[in-house]
Each structure stands twice: as structure tokens, then as C-alpha cells.
Amino acid sequence: MSPMEPIELFSDLSIEAEGAKFIWPLHWTGPVHRDMFKGVDICNFSWNGGRFEGHVFDVPPAIPTWVPECCARCIVIETTADGRTENLHFQNIEGVDCSGSVVSVYGYLRKDKQTRARNIEVRNCRFKRCGKFMWDYGYLWEKLVFADFFTPAEAALGERYASPENRSGEVRFLGDCIRVDAMPAYRKEDRHPFDTIAFYGNNLPPEIQRGKCYFLLGESDGKIYFSDIPGGKPFRTSVALHGGMYLFRNLFTVFHWGYAPENQGPGKGSLDLVCCSKINVRDCELGANGDAMHIHTSSDITFCRNLISKARMGAFFLAFNCDHADIHDNTVYGTNGSRVLTVERGCHDVSIHNNVFTGGGRGCWFNQNDYITISDNVFKDNVQKGIQQTGIGRRSPFSGAFERYPEIYFTHALKSYSNIIMRRNVIESTPDNTQPAILFEKNGSGIILEDNILQGTSREIAIEGNADVQAARNAGVAEYNKKSVAEPL
């Protein structure tokens, strides 16, 4: 099936698709963003059965037939500003290798107005390797900067896709300064206000650490000066060298915003629900070559008895301003993607209980939330991106060394978080993890930490600055470390 325009869906429609197959073409032609079925302002709609088959980009040794930015959503329902979307039921649907979400439901979401899609049920569905493709944080940067650690096919991805607008031409080291062909423009980031560079290539001076962050000081007559600390003395090299050396500029942008292909469309996760209320997702299997699932700006959410079987990026992802969510009795395999569990900015009244979260890459992240209860869960081996081994761990764009992460961390991003309860959880660290088991950044209040069990090498609880943590009866804790806050670069 290869529609250039989607097949229209209507209200008061019941689709029985058991035994049907809907197949995307082997080779992609035409627009890179495409939908198969689509409706607007749909009420009283159900879809039962059917199998969607497609193709999704993957990294070597896979040989993909679609480009990374392809986004092919299967069933899409949208809402207009004054429209009404409600009573949608999806069950017994399969999806395999679809480069876009299989089920997408969107209310109307703008800064000045929201119209929620209401009463959304997704039950007994199986979505494997579905959702738009994502590279992951730092994947392309690492493949280019440390190309000799990877296969030629992996290194070629870095050369082709790694942020060309932030890469220079040849760099010449002159001892006390450098000259650069085609120096990239500076892009200021509020979260990282310094002008940063990192060098790579085959012939760097011995004093220069490949992939490490250096700070630009200024330029005069084509000579560029840099330091190894912000505002420091100009860095000097013992030799003048040229040939086969380059740099990245704007490291924060390169690393953190390079997770998705350029020009990629919507359809995040195998299941994408945005601006909805009364959501019920149960008894499903979800997996993706990007985020496994995505619920954003929604309320009254039940997510239970689901299996997340693969995630190249985030596994369970509750994003931005979600209220009244009950997350229970799920098994989540992070498969060394990004974070195995994310509850992002502004989420309120979330209960996470009786789940298993395992095999994640960057741990579990709670950011600027309040009234979060985390109880009776198992967290095991969730910072595999911190393993100090090429191909498993991920290198930092600031040190050039492998990154490390806490198992679970609560952050404020210059705001605050409050009323956090953690009770009766088992937290087993990734082997050899040297970071805390739990990190509470400053600006946290009303935090209760009781009756948890810490296992493995990481058994420290770190409490930064003014974070208010009341801890009791936590087994296996090696240290409660109350410390001042080290401001990030």
C-alpha cells in the first residue's frame, strides 16, 4: 500500500481488520513524511485487528532501505481548535518496522489554547520496532570523533550525518593559537552559555585530548585562541601541526540536539498520545528504534500490564505537564537506549508502582515534578551507557571520557520539585557504577525516602544543596552524602 494522501477516517466508524495486512513499500519515494489513515475531530471510533508492516532505518550491520528522516504513521487522529475528539478504541493491532507511530492521537495544543482528545483506549496491541528512528544523544558525534574505535560502516554514519553545520574545515595548530578553515558559527545555548570546541583527527598535538571540551577566547587576524577552562589562559601546544585535524563547535548543541535526524516529522514512539485525557493503555507490547512510547500534556492516564521490549532512546516516557497518572505492573526493558524511565517537566500526581525497569542506558530521570509516588518497583542495571567500553558506553562531549550516571536522579533545571515519595523499591546498580544510586539535586522539598533496598556497587544517596530529604530504614545504603552543588560547565 503506497498512498500519497492518507485514507480518510470518520466518526461513528468501527473497523474490523482482523487478518488484514497494510504494507508500506520497500523503497521510499516521494515526501519523507506520510500517513496511511487519518481523521480529524473523530468521535465514537474503534479499530480492531490488522497488521501494519513497514521499514525503519537502523544502524549497521542492518542495511536499511529507508532514510533516517522517514516518518510513516499508520493511524492518525487530530483535533481542531474548536473540534471534538472522543471515545477512541484500538485493540489487537500489530505493527512491525513502521517508521512512525502505529497509533497517534492528538488533541489541539497551542500556547494559548488546548482542546483535549478524550477517552482513548489502546489494548492488547503489539508494536515492534515502530516509531520514528532516533540516533540517540552523542551517537553521531562519537562515531566521527572516535571513528577508529568503530567499524567503517559506523564511522561513515558520523561522517555523513553528524551536524555538518557545526564542523570545521582543516585546523592548523600554531603553538599558541590555531587557524581554522570554514569555522562554524557560534550558536548560544541558554543551558550552556560558553563557546565550546572539541578537536578530532589523526594527528593531534600530544597536549590535546581528542573529544575534550575547550573554550574559545577570541580571534585576531585569523588567529583563534582557546583555553581548557572558561576565560583561562590561552592554551599552548609544543608543536605546530597541520593536516587531517578538525573541530566541532557548539558541543552542547551537537551532543544533545543531534539525537534525531534532520527534517524528521511527528510520530514519536510506537504509540504517540498528545493533549489527551482519560487514557487507558494496557496489555500491550511496545518497542521502537527511537522512543518506545510517548504521552505528552495529558491527564487521567492508566498505563498497566504492558511490556516495553526495546528502546533505542527513551523506554517509558511521560513528557511535559501530565497529571493524574497511574503507572503499574509493567515490565520495561531499556535495551541500553537512553533513559529507561522519564517523567519530564511539570508532571503532577503520578503514581509508579509494581513495575520492573531494567537494562536502561542513562538511568531514571524525574525533572521538575511534584506529588510523585514511586513504590514497590524493581530498578536493575539501568546505566549501561556508563559502562567504560566502546560500543556499550557513551563518551562525553565535555571530557572525551566515558559518561557516568546515577541510577535514579531528580533535577530542577533552575526551578524546583517537591513532594516526592520513594518507598519499598529495590535498586540494583549496573556493575562497577561509581555514581550515586539516587541523586537529589538542590531545590527539592518534601522528599520521603523509606524502606528501599540498595544493591550492587552504587549504594550512595547524594543530596545536593538545600534539597530536603527525610530518609529512614533504607537497607544497603553505604552513605548519605549531603554536598554543595557543583555548577555545570
Side-chain angles (χ1 to χ4, degrees), residues 57 59 68 133-137 139-140 157 161 258-261 312:
F57 187 87
V59 299
F133 172 81
M134 294 183 178
W135 296 111
D136 192 17
Y137 299 108
Y139 176 88
L140 293 172
L157 290 178
Y161 294 110
Y259 66 86
R312 182 173 173 82

Side-chain angles (χ1 to χ4, degrees), residues 68-285:
E69 63 269 26
C70 279
C71 183
R73 298 180 297 180
C74 299
I75 304 171
V76 182
I77 295 179
E78 297 178 342
T79 307
T80 60
D82 298 313
R84 186 161 61 98
T85 295
E86 63 184 19
N87 301 330
L88 310 180
H89 303 276
F90 306 91
Q91 63 182 14
N92 303 318
I93 303 170
E94 291 185 75
V96 180
D97 292 329
C98 295
S99 185
S101 46
V102 181
V103 173
S104 306
V105 179
Y106 306 111
Y108 181 84
L109 179 60
R110 300 291 187 275
K111 288 184 178 180
D112 58 344
K113 184 171 183 176
Q114 293 185 17
T115 303
R116 297 280 173 107
R118 299 172 55 84
N119 193 19
I120 316 299
E121 181 185 49
V122 182
R123 182 162 56 89
N124 197 36
C125 293
R126 302 287 178 267
F127 304 153
K128 298 180 180 181
R129 297 180 304 278
C130 295
K132 64 184 182 181
F133 172 81
M134 294 183 178
W135 296 111
D136 192 17
Y137 299 108
Y139 176 88
L140 293 172
W141 171 88
E142 187 178 41
K143 297 300 175 290
L144 187 56
V145 174
F146 296 93
D148 49 315
F149 287 89
F150 299 97
T151 67
E154 290 173 315
L157 290 178
E159 181 65 44
R160 180 174 180 181
Y161 294 110
S163 195
E165 70 277 12
N166 291 300
R167 287 154 50 186
S168 75
E170 189 168 289
V171 175
R172 297 182 294 282
F173 286 89
L174 305 177
D176 63 343
C177 64
I178 57 175
R179 288 187 182 272
V180 181
D181 294 339
M183 183 67 163
Y186 172 49
R187 296 173 60 183
K188 185 176 180 180
E189 278 274 2
D190 291 340
R191 292 167 60 190
H192 192 84
F194 301 105
D195 192 352
T196 54
I197 58 173
F199 298 103
Y200 65 99
N202 299 322
N203 192 31
L204 294 172
E207 299 86 356
I208 295 294
Q209 183 178 338
R210 176 170 46 160
K212 181 184 183 301
C213 173
Y214 295 92
F215 300 86
L216 288 182
L217 300 175
E219 179 179 355
S220 177
D221 296 327
K223 296 180 178 180
I224 298 172
Y225 300 88
F226 67 96
S227 177
D228 55 356
I229 60 173
K233 294 181 179 179
F235 197 93
R236 297 185 63 90
T237 60
S238 58
V239 291
L241 291 173
H242 64 88
M245 296 172 290
Y246 309 91
L247 64 78
F248 271 105
R249 194 175 187 179
N250 307 308
L251 296 186
F252 187 92
T253 298
V254 169
F255 192 87
H256 290 281
W257 296 116
Y259 66 86
E262 295 271 347
N263 303 315
Q264 196 174 64
K268 195 172 189 177
S270 60
L271 171 66
D272 194 16
L273 306 177
V274 179
C275 197
C276 300
S277 66
K278 295 187 178 179
I279 294 170
N280 191 339
V281 181
R282 62 178 65 229
D283 302 309
C284 293
E285 179 181 349

Side-chain angles (χ1 to χ4, degrees), residues 303-308 316 325-332 341 350-358 366 373-380 421-426 452:
F303 189 91
C304 71
R305 300 198 306 267
N306 300 294
L307 169 65
I308 293 181
F316 179 84
D326 188 12
I327 315 302
H328 66 90
D329 295 289
N330 304 285
T331 300
V332 180
L341 166 62
V350 177
S351 175
I352 301 171
H353 56 103
N354 295 103
N355 305 283
V356 175
F357 298 95
T358 185
F366 297 85
T373 300
I374 306 159
S375 61
D376 302 293
N377 302 285
V378 174
F379 300 93
K380 182 178 180 180
I421 298 173
M422 289 191 69
R423 286 195 176 110
R424 300 182 302 277
N425 301 286
V426 176
N452 300 284

Side-chain angles (χ1 to χ4, degrees), residues 1-7 24-25 27-38:
M1 188 170 187
S2 181
M4 293 302 292
E5 296 295 331
I7 299 169
W24 291 99
H27 296 283
W28 188 279
T29 57
V32 293
H33 306 155
R34 195 178 298 173
D35 301 326
M36 189 175 286
F37 293 91
K38 188 172 185 178

